[in-house]
Amino acid sequence: MSELYLMVTISDRNFHRRLLAFYKEYGVTVTMVTLGRGTATSEVLDSFGLEAAEKAIQFAFVTGREWKEIRSGLEKRLKIDIPGTGIAFVIPVSSIGGKKQLQFLTEGRGFEKGEETKYELLVVVANQGYTEYIMEAAHSANAAGGTVIHAKGTGMQKAEQFLGFSLATEKEMILIVVKNCDKNAIMKAIMEKAGLESKAKSIVFSLPVTETAGMRLVEDE
């Protein structure tokens, strides 16, 4: 069993379908896709002969062993190192709320707990339209504010295999930075009040945060 990572891939929007097909070869089909825009200055773009590009951001779960193989394929087959093609990186996952959710997100792959840090980033993936419901649950367990981004899920048909029911593809991802000591209570509150048994169908996992700025008021509390 290998340590689990959240793999983030940022690429040109026209390239993301090719990436989805590429990841599928490695058994990675459950992903979240959202849209963005590059921020490089015109001088940088001109130096590489590039135009300002609309971006696609993909989130998926991989083990350490899988990442080594995927990274090699990205560099050798898809030539991701060529400027303007894209970038991929991984972040260790510290916990996932619930065994069924773990099985779904990892598509049955194993999970090894990461090291604990002072802060954690909670990522909640839920059906669209339930952000306030989720944040009410989080606030009840001492969470502060969160940030919402819209995304589309792929491989959602896998939900029936691992969760016993289907999931909508249109998603919201809520990002909340919390103290490690509050993490379990907040995750539990979200799972109990806005989890898979609710209309929100929330799935929550956490990522370790090594350094922060702007958390002084939380520290003072």
Side-chain angles (χ1 to χ4, degrees):
M1 186 166 61
S2 180
E3 187 173 357
L4 191 66
Y5 293 89
L6 175 68
M7 178 177 65
V8 183
T9 312
I10 303 171
S11 69
D12 184 278
R13 289 188 192 180
N14 296 326
F15 193 57
H16 94 276
R17 293 190 182 278
R18 187 177 175 187
L19 283 166
L20 287 175
F22 171 79
Y23 291 143
K24 190 174 182 180
E25 295 179 24
Y26 294 87
V28 180
T29 60
V30 176
T31 67
M32 301 296 158
V33 183
T34 188
L35 304 178
R37 181 177 175 82
T39 60
T41 64
S42 59
E43 291 83 359
V44 172
L45 293 170
D46 291 342
S47 66
F48 285 107
L50 303 173
E51 297 180 356
E54 301 298 312
K55 302 292 183 181
I57 303 99
Q58 298 181 39
F59 303 88
F61 291 86
V62 297
T63 65
R65 287 190 294 268
E66 290 168 337
W67 166 244
K68 289 181 180 179
E69 296 177 2
I70 289 172
R71 178 182 177 180
S72 177
L74 286 170
E75 293 174 347
K76 295 177 181 178
R77 291 173 51 194
L78 299 189
K79 311 297 183 184
I80 200 168
D81 288 342
I82 296 175
T85 303
I87 184 173
F89 56 91
V90 293
I91 306 166
V93 175
S94 54
S95 59
I96 293 179
K99 291 183 179 179
K100 286 185 177 180
Q101 292 91 323
L102 168 64
Q103 290 292 307
F104 169 60
L105 291 174
T106 64
E107 302 176 71
R109 299 190 294 273
F111 171 63
E112 185 174 295
K113 187 175 174 61
E115 296 182 4
E116 290 190 352
T117 54
K118 187 173 183 180
Y119 288 98
E120 297 270 338
L121 173 66
L122 296 191
V123 182
V124 186
V125 180
N127 289 339
Q128 281 193 6
Y130 294 92
T131 299
E132 290 186 10
Y133 190 53
I134 293 162
M135 288 309 301
E136 283 180 10
H139 287 321
S140 71
N142 203 35
T147 300
V148 183
I149 57 177
H150 298 282
K152 185 172 183 179
T154 69
M156 291 299 104
Q157 65 275 13
K158 295 273 185 161
E160 208 152 345
Q161 176 184 348
F162 294 105
L163 304 177
F165 52 83
S166 60
L167 289 177
T169 58
E170 298 302 318
K171 298 292 180 184
E172 286 176 343
M173 297 178 70
I174 301 98
L175 312 178
I176 314 169
V177 177
V178 303
K179 289 182 179 180
N180 190 295
C181 59
D182 294 330
K183 178 188 71 172
N184 290 339
I186 295 170
M187 292 179 75
K188 183 178 180 181
I190 292 171
M191 287 188 291
E192 288 181 348
K193 299 178 182 179
L196 294 177
E197 304 302 320
S198 71
K199 292 182 179 180
K201 302 294 183 191
S202 299
I203 294 173
V204 58
F205 59 92
S206 67
L207 307 173
V209 173
T210 56
E211 299 285 346
T212 65
M215 300 293 288
R216 181 176 60 81
L217 294 180
V218 176
E219 292 281 4
D220 290 345
E221 291 177 358

